[in-house]
Amino acid sequence: MVYSRVHFNQLLEEQAISRSQIDQLKTENRLLQEKVQCLMKRLFGSSSEKLSPDQLELELEEFRELQEALDLAESKTELAEEEQKQSKRGKRKGLDARIPKDLPTETIIIDPDEVIAHPELYKKIGEERLEQLDITPTQFIKIVTIRNKYKKRDDRSVAPLIAPAPKQLIENSYATVGLVLHIILGKYCDHLPLYRQEQIFKQRFGVEISRKTMGGWMYLVAQWLSLIYEALRNEIRASGYIQADETFIKYQDPKKDYCPNGYLWAYHSPAVGVLFEWHASRAATCLDSMLIGYSGLLQTDGYAGYTSWLNKKSHAAKKASIIHAACWAHARRKFKEVPGNPTAEDVVKLIAKLYRVESKLRDNPDLDRAAYRQEHSAPVLEQIKSILETERFRQLPQSNFGKAIHYTLERWDALNLYLEHDKLEICNNLVENAIRPTAIGKKNFLFFGSPDSGQTSAVIYSLIETCRKLDINPAVYLREILTALPTMNQSEAADWTPARWKSSRENTSA
């Protein structure tokens, strides 16, 4: 068979097209293999990277949240392994070191029957001591308050006398501060939904309190606490440093036949507290209530809503007063998702060195953070940037490594801001930790009952998580504050934020 030159050229063109298609398919296959390997690593890898199959069914927002928690745990593990590869388990602490010093103590003395019968014949030469922990189960008590009425014996024109009724946390209700506090701690600390508490009260104690009634109490308590909630907001804004993040929680909407996603926006300031805001969306406008008028540092992940808010023309003046910092934990996660690449592993190891510097600073608070970072972290950052600048032209933009390089270099200046501002943390992990208890709660109660009920939980979560951050017992704090609320003036609310409450107690004890 004889081929003409035209036919031959046509075959060459078809061959070139086929080769191009083959190369494209090879590239797509490699990218897909990267994703499969990353997924397999999460499913069957070490416990610090492992995800259960059930978690894979969660939506993207929750998956991101869980992965950040795993990254935090793994980064701590890597640092511990590099600093001390052969760790030994310390001796177990004694009971006195593991319980509060002011714990009520009941002493039981047991003497032999012979000594009890004839004590004059025996002399004590020592003792055998056994220390145990006991607990008194929850017990319902009915409190009856009687206010006697009196009249003058010799003057009937005088109105009868009766003592004024004590002010109640919830008017015209049988709920005491102790009962309301028990329900709050059950839901927001122990993650027990109201319907479970309803069952527990009925089955164990024979007391019937409907979940609807308890939900109404939570709403009223949140209204009381809103003054302190706003005072906490002012404290966080005045601190000049806010770490921000958001997490989704579903809610019931009577206008829809499904539960849409709402969001708890979290704002954390180290040593000050955490404030949650509830919004039915993730739009950038949700930041208005916290950031309009704010001046200082703002540290976030890579969600575009933050940069979108800062880049609005109407917020141009605010942008100049807000320094937007990025998070190294999120950048690190991008490189951890690159399977089997030694260069990406080198970047992860260099990032671990940055975290080791931060660990040193936490253990030695007297060190000059800015100077120490410039000496030890700045050279490591230069190494990372040199690697990324070299590799950016060698990696496919759509590969996991290419995406990680682009993500990091795009935010390079924001990632390096913590060198200039000693107040800044290297990452957003502190606010991630503050969000974690809410994630446990939403897995138990599944959704909020209405579009408005989310703010009730936001107010109570804010105070409880701030107590946790400041090492305050929320039961002690809330009991005292719930007792004081009915007689509290609006001007006094600012003195009842967890930070000020703790400071006043420390000053009193000193």
Side-chain angles (χ1 to χ4, degrees):
M1 181 181 294
V2 180
Y3 292 96
S4 65
R5 181 173 295 276
V6 175
H7 192 193
F8 183 74
N9 291 337
Q10 183 179 357
L11 289 174
L12 290 177
E13 291 177 1
E14 292 177 354
Q15 186 180 29
I17 293 173
S18 298
R19 288 177 178 175
S20 176
Q21 292 176 341
I22 291 173
D23 292 339
Q24 183 179 356
L25 291 173
K26 286 182 178 179
T27 301
E28 292 178 357
N29 183 50
R30 188 170 66 183
L31 295 176
L32 289 173
Q33 285 183 345
E34 281 188 0
K35 294 179 180 179
V36 170
Q37 291 176 17
C38 183
L39 182 60
M40 294 292 287
K41 182 179 179 181
R42 292 173 184 167
L43 275 174
F44 307 110
S46 59
S47 58
S48 60
E49 294 288 339
K50 195 172 181 181
L51 293 178
S52 68
D54 291 339
Q55 289 172 327
L56 297 176
E57 298 177 2
L58 297 175
E59 297 190 27
L60 180 60
E61 293 89 348
E62 185 170 1
F63 177 81
R64 174 180 58 82
E65 173 190 315
L66 292 170
Q67 185 59 37
E68 288 165 357
L70 291 172
D71 288 338
L72 173 62
E74 184 194 357
S75 64
K76 291 181 178 179
T77 302
E78 288 182 353
L79 291 176
E81 289 177 351
E82 289 187 15
E83 291 179 356
Q84 187 179 7
K85 292 186 177 180
Q86 294 181 348
S87 62
K88 295 183 179 179
R89 184 178 178 182
K91 293 183 178 179
R92 187 178 182 183
K93 296 180 181 178
L95 183 61
D96 289 340
R98 290 181 282 132
I99 60 176
K101 293 181 179 179
D102 58 348
L103 197 70
T105 302
E106 177 183 348
T107 302
I108 301 174
I109 298 176
I110 303 176
D111 284 331
D113 293 338
E114 295 82 355
V115 175
I116 295 175
H118 303 284
E120 71 280 359
L121 300 179
Y122 296 91
K123 176 183 178 181
K124 181 180 176 180
I125 60 173
E127 63 182 23
E128 293 291 333
R129 181 180 291 263
L130 173 64
E131 294 185 355
Q132 297 175 302
L133 277 180
D134 194 11
I135 186 169
T136 302
T138 301
Q139 181 180 5
F140 278 88
I141 302 173
K142 183 167 71 172
I143 298 178
V144 179
T145 302
I146 299 175
R147 294 185 294 136
N148 293 323
K149 290 183 180 181
Y150 296 89
K151 69 175 182 178
K152 278 194 172 182
R153 297 179 186 273
D154 56 352
D155 190 353
R156 294 187 177 184
S157 63
V158 178
L161 294 177
I162 186 170
K167 291 188 176 182
Q168 300 294 318
L169 179 66
I170 302 175
E171 292 293 339
N172 302 319
S173 170
Y174 58 84
T176 64
V177 167
L179 178 57
V180 172
L181 175 61
H182 183 85
I183 296 170
I184 290 175
L185 296 176
K187 179 173 182 180
Y188 296 102
C189 291
D190 303 330
H191 318 296
L192 283 173
L194 295 181
Y195 80 89
R196 290 191 189 174
Q197 296 194 52
E198 178 185 2
Q199 294 172 351
I200 291 172
F201 293 159
K202 185 175 181 179
Q203 295 172 1
R204 298 183 189 174
F205 307 102
V207 176
E208 296 185 16
I209 306 176
S210 72
R211 70 194 77 174
K212 182 178 180 181
T213 299
M214 289 188 283
W217 293 345
M218 296 300 100
Y219 171 79
L220 292 173
V221 168
Q223 296 300 306
W224 274 110
L225 295 173
S226 60
L227 292 175
I228 301 168
Y229 173 81
E230 291 302 324
L232 176 60
R233 181 198 301 276
N234 294 334
E235 282 186 353
I236 292 174
R237 285 164 55 90
S239 70
Y241 177 26
I242 294 177
Q243 295 178 327
D245 200 6
E246 70 290 332
T247 181
F248 87 96
I249 295 183
K250 293 184 179 296
Y251 67 95
Q252 286 185 324
D253 189 340
K255 299 178 181 179
K256 299 178 181 179
D257 57 357
Y258 65 96
C259 290
N261 284 342
Y263 291 85
L264 278 176
W265 292 70
Y267 304 97
H268 171 254
S269 180
V272 177
V274 186
L275 185 127
F276 291 93
E277 278 187 352
W278 164 255
H279 295 280
S281 75
R282 202 186 180 196
T285 53
C286 297
L287 296 165
D288 290 351
S289 56
M290 193 67 180
L291 296 186
I292 287 182
Y294 169 70
S295 177
L297 299 166
L298 174 66
Q299 190 171 33
T300 71
D301 57 18
Y303 173 49
Y306 300 105
T307 53
S308 173
W309 189 91
L310 291 170
N311 291 333
K312 281 186 177 179
K313 293 182 179 179
S314 59
H315 298 154
K318 284 80 176 178
K319 183 178 179 181
S321 63
I322 295 178
I323 301 173
H324 189 196
C327 169
W328 266 107
H330 288 80
R332 175 187 176 277
R333 188 179 76 239
K334 301 292 183 181
F335 294 100
K336 287 296 297 182
E337 293 177 352
V338 182
N341 189 305
T343 307
E345 292 175 359
D346 290 341
V347 174
V348 172
K349 291 178 181 179
L350 289 172
I351 295 175
K353 288 185 178 181
L354 298 177
Y355 276 88
R356 189 157 59 249
V357 172
E358 299 305 304
S359 179
K360 180 74 172 180
L361 290 173
R362 282 192 297 272
D363 295 338
N364 300 273
D366 294 334
L367 289 175
D368 186 328
R369 286 164 65 94
Y372 195 84
R373 284 169 172 172
Q374 286 292 340
E375 180 181 357
H376 297 88
S377 296
V380 179
L381 289 166
E382 289 298 324
Q383 287 182 266
I384 295 174
K385 187 175 183 182
S386 176
I387 293 174
L388 300 185
E389 291 287 4
T390 302
E391 292 294 325
R392 69 188 303 183
F393 302 108
R394 299 178 180 176
Q395 305 297 327
L396 292 172
Q398 295 303 314
S399 67
N400 286 1
F401 199 8
K403 290 179 181 179
I405 292 172
H406 175 75
Y407 179 93
T408 306
L409 291 180
E410 186 181 34
R411 297 165 176 80
W412 187 254
D413 291 338
L415 287 168
N416 283 262
L417 280 174
Y418 82 104
L419 293 179
E420 306 171 19
H421 303 274
D422 59 353
K423 184 187 291 188
L424 265 175
E425 297 291 333
I426 189 174
C427 63
N428 236 20
N429 282 340
L430 292 177
V431 72
E432 303 288 350
N433 288 340
I435 287 177
R436 197 172 301 169
T438 69
I440 300 173
K442 73 184 178 184
K443 290 178 183 177
N444 289 342
F445 57 72
L446 301 180
F447 51 77
F448 290 138
S450 70
D452 299 325
S453 63
Q455 187 58 24
T456 295
S457 293
V459 171
I460 300 175
Y461 268 134
S462 297
L463 297 180
I464 286 179
E465 288 308 307
T466 298
C467 285
R468 187 172 69 91
K469 286 288 185 179
L470 300 181
D471 197 23
I472 297 173
N473 185 339
V476 176
Y477 169 75
L478 287 175
R479 178 175 287 277
E480 189 168 334
I481 196 173
L482 293 177
T483 303
L485 274 173
T487 58
M488 185 185 300
N489 295 325
Q490 185 172 351
S491 59
E492 299 174 352
D495 296 328
W496 284 88
T497 61
R500 291 197 178 186
W501 181 87
K502 181 179 182 180
S503 177
S504 65
R505 298 305 176 278
E506 290 175 346
N507 294 336
T508 302
S509 62

